[in-house]
Structure formats: C-alpha cells, structure tokens
Amino acid sequence: MHEYTSTARVWGLTCPGFPEEVSRARRWTRDILRGSPLAEDAELIVSELSANAILHTASGRDAGSFHLALAVSPQVVALSVTDGGGAGTAPKAEHQDQEAEHGRGLGMVSAIAHRVVVHDSDGGHTVTAELFTDVRRGGHPC
C-alpha cells in the first residue's frame, strides 16, 4: 500500500438546529453503518450529541445548525458533532443522582464509546466519540 493511501472513509452532514433533525442524524448514521456491529451504538451516540447541540447551544436557536462527521476505518468508527457555540462552557460528562432528569447524556456517551474527546472549534465545540472495532463490548484497548 502506498504511504499516502488510506482505507478510512469520511462522511459529513450539516443539519438545521430543529429537534426533528435528530432523527435525520440517526437515520443517516444507521444508513452509513448498515451491517456494522457498531451501528446501534453509533446511532445512539449521534442522537445524544445532536440533541445536546440543539438543546444547549446556538445550534438550536435562530437559524442555527450542527455538523456531523462520521469516519470509518478498519480499526475505528469516529463520530463527531460540532455545535454552533453560545453555551459558555465546554460539554462535560457529569455524575447525576438517580432522580436527575437532565445531565446524563454525555456520561452515557462516555460509557458506550471507547474514547470521547471535546475540542474547542470556531465559536463552539466538537465532541468526538470513538468506537474501536477490535475490543469486546465494554472493554477498552490497552
């Protein structure tokens, strides 16, 4: 294989910041990953990250939008959601008590994904969740 050749494939989708776009993001993810054993986990992660972008950032206000990126290689499925900013603080997983009605989503994503990384982007944040293909469910690579 040539040193600059990659077997990774990358897709992107920009969605208006409407709640009904979360189901579109889920469907888009499911269609791309059809047949993958990681499809259901990826769909759940994209759903949560998209909903967070709409609910907690400028993505869900005044003609806002959010951007999805999905990268697939033989080793990893990486799902990224970039929000429209305006939240004031970076997304973070919080430990909520059992009665809490909000604040559990990113913790759930962190429990499902093998790695979650939050990056500052132009005016907002990008949350990337990675699912590794070579570890057992619930396990983490060395």
Side-chain angles (χ1 to χ4, degrees):
M1 179 184 301
H2 189 273
E3 67 180 302
Y4 298 113
T5 302
S6 172
T7 57
R9 298 196 60 197
V10 180
W11 293 262
L13 177 69
T14 299
C15 298
F18 303 124
E20 57 270 19
E21 292 297 313
V22 173
S23 63
R24 178 179 175 209
R26 288 175 63 100
R27 187 173 50 254
W28 178 79
T29 302
R30 185 175 54 245
D31 288 348
I32 291 170
L33 295 176
R34 181 165 282 127
S36 168
L38 301 174
E40 288 182 13
D41 287 345
E43 185 180 352
L44 181 60
I45 289 168
V46 162
S47 178
E48 185 58 39
L49 296 180
S50 298
N52 282 352
I54 292 169
L55 291 172
H56 302 296
T57 74
S59 293
R61 293 180 243 134
D62 299 327
S65 63
F66 61 97
H67 182 76
L68 302 164
L70 175 57
V72 178
S73 76
Q75 297 81 26
V76 67
V77 171
L79 310 141
S80 297
V81 175
T82 302
D83 64 44
T89 60
K92 64 181 179 205
E94 297 179 2
H95 299 288
Q96 301 291 341
D97 64 34
Q98 291 181 338
E99 304 301 318
E101 294 182 15
H102 299 285
R104 295 175 180 226
L106 201 50
M108 177 186 63
V109 169
S110 295
I112 295 169
H114 296 104
R115 185 166 69 162
V116 177
V117 180
V118 178
H119 292 282
D120 290 335
S121 59
D122 295 331
H125 296 91
T126 299
V127 180
T128 301
E130 297 176 345
L131 298 167
F132 298 114
T133 60
D134 62 348
V135 293
R136 292 189 178 142
R137 186 174 178 87
H140 291 273
C142 298

